[in-house]
Amino acid sequence: TDTSSQPANPKIWSVIWRAKVPPKIKIFLWKICWGVLPTKHFLHSRAITVNPICSRCGNVEETINHLFWECDTAKWVWKFIANWWSLSKSFNKIYRFSIHKLMHLKGSSESSKIWHMVVAAAVW
């Protein structure tokens, strides 16, 4: 199981369920947090005939961490967002994909609600 994104803190659930995004995106984020998003690695590990290699880069297995953090496409998206929100230093401290860490880069300010939507949209 690819549980690289399994939440370390149960507070993430209230952040996800209160986010101003459609229910299907909340469920998508929930699946990522529990490591049950059907990535190629996840499907392949359950004996489903699928090539587990990432179809975007063709280099490594498509895990949650790779798909949303390590793949060149994901890196480009997060770099763009980090620059846009002036959070490059904060992003450099995140070594593995974590919805919890990303959602909490902006404190409890009013802008955090917008930030949660940005993270959800980027992941979606």
Side-chain angles (χ1 to χ4, degrees), residues 2 20-21 23 36 38-40 49 53-54 56 61 66 75 80 91 97-98 101 104-105 108 110 112 118 120 123:
D2 180 17
K20 302 293 183 194
V21 298
V36 296
T39 62
K40 290 182 175 188
T49 307
I53 301 301
C54 176
R56 294 183 193 273
E61 285 192 351
H66 175 76
K75 286 179 182 178
F80 179 84
F91 270 81
F97 181 73
S98 167
K101 288 180 182 176
H104 287 91
L105 283 178
S108 58
E110 189 61 33
S112 67
V118 168
V123 173

Side-chain angles (χ1 to χ4, degrees), residues 9-62:
N9 190 326
K11 292 180 182 179
I12 190 60
W13 303 124
S14 63
V15 172
I16 289 174
W17 299 124
R18 285 187 290 153
K20 302 293 183 194
V21 298
K24 66 183 177 182
I25 296 177
K26 293 176 186 182
I27 292 168
F28 184 75
L29 295 172
W30 181 87
K31 286 181 178 183
I32 291 170
C33 286
W34 281 107
V36 296
L37 187 72
T39 62
K40 290 182 175 188
H41 171 80
F42 180 88
L43 296 172
H44 184 75
S45 70
R46 280 154 179 73
I48 297 172
T49 307
V50 63
N51 181 351
I53 301 301
C54 176
S55 54
R56 294 183 193 273
C57 68
N59 293 325
V60 297
E61 285 192 351
E62 182 190 87

Side-chain angles (χ1 to χ4, degrees), residues 80-121:
F80 179 84
I81 290 171
N83 289 333
W84 173 33
W85 281 74
S86 301
L87 291 170
S88 294
K89 288 182 182 178
S90 298
F91 270 81
N92 290 338
K93 295 177 183 176
I94 301 174
Y95 299 104
R96 293 191 59 76
F97 181 73
S98 167
I99 293 287
H100 176 77
K101 288 180 182 176
L102 288 169
M103 289 291 204
H104 287 91
L105 283 178
K106 296 295 281 182
S108 58
S109 66
E110 189 61 33
S111 66
S112 67
K113 293 177 185 176
I114 297 168
W115 174 250
H116 296 158
M117 287 189 285
V118 168
V119 171

